[in-house]
Structure formats: structure tokens, C-alpha cells
Amino acid sequence: MSFDQVQPFPGSPIPQQVAFDRRELSVIMTLYGRMVAAGEWRDYGIASLRDLAVFSVFRRTAEHPLYRIEKRPKLRNRQGQYAVVGMDGHILKRGADLKTVLRVLERKLIRSVD
């Protein structure tokens, strides 16, 4: 092998798909467990696509998702890479910190005690 055949390493490889990392999934699954214990949620689905990763929450398996937690790394420097999307497609909360974005769903757990 000669020096003219050597290829330099690329700066950073382009990922083939976007996925949630272990820390992000831990935060999401903690909220999911509390909502299952409260009887609000019953099933979930995860999709890792080229531009985004989606964690969908269902009340029943055969329904449309109640909420979608999306990760879009391309929006990291603009609006924030995390978003919570409602059943109707409206964005309920968007931001750079996952825990802050998920607070919009934690409000559903707060109930008055008589």
C-alpha cells in the first residue's frame, strides 16, 4: 500500500438513523412507568428513522398514539431537538432539555385528593 492510496478518516460519520440513547430512554421510561401505574398509558412503540426518533404512547394497542415524544437532532440549534406531539398533531412542548419537555405530560399525574 502506498501513501497515495491512504484515505483520511472522516470528521464524524453521518448516522444512518436517529435513536434515543440510554439516558434519554431512562428519563422516558421513568415517566412511562408512572403513567402506567396511574392507569393512563398501557403500551408504547419506538421508531428510529433517518431524521428522527419517535417514542409513541398508547392507551390501547389498536389506537392512534396519545402522545409522541420526538427527537430531531437537526433542530438542536434552533427550536430544540425534543418535542411532545399530541394526538391531533399539535406540538405541546419543544425544547433542548428532555426532562423539561416531558413536564407537560407530568401535569396529567397531578390530581386533587378529596
Side-chain angles (χ1 to χ4, degrees):
M1 178 186 236
S2 66
F3 285 106
D4 55 341
Q5 295 175 345
V6 175
Q7 297 282 334
F9 288 105
S12 63
I14 299 171
Q16 295 297 319
Q17 64 184 9
V18 177
F20 291 106
D21 63 17
R22 181 181 295 233
R23 182 192 57 82
E24 295 164 337
L25 278 176
S26 175
V27 171
I28 293 170
M29 292 306 285
T30 300
L31 173 64
Y32 177 78
R34 285 187 283 152
M35 294 300 265
V36 167
E40 296 290 323
W41 298 351
R42 295 210 173 105
D43 200 7
Y44 70 91
I46 298 176
S48 296
L49 306 172
R50 187 174 187 87
D51 295 331
L52 77 150
V54 181
F55 185 94
S56 301
V57 177
F58 299 89
R59 186 175 310 237
R60 291 179 193 85
T61 306
E63 291 183 346
H64 294 287
L66 290 174
Y67 301 103
R68 291 188 328 258
I69 301 165
E70 297 182 350
K71 176 183 177 181
R72 294 178 187 259
K74 288 186 178 179
L75 297 178
R76 180 181 316 123
N77 296 327
R78 292 185 215 141
Q79 304 166 345
Q81 67 178 344
Y82 303 109
V84 174
V85 181
M87 182 186 285
D88 54 357
H90 286 92
I91 296 174
L92 303 176
K93 181 90 171 162
R94 182 183 295 273
D97 182 44
L98 183 60
K99 287 183 181 181
T100 305
V101 172
L102 292 179
R103 281 189 199 149
V104 72
L105 298 176
E106 289 179 2
R107 291 183 194 151
K108 307 280 186 207
L109 282 175
I110 300 172
R111 295 180 184 161
S112 63
V113 179
D114 294 328

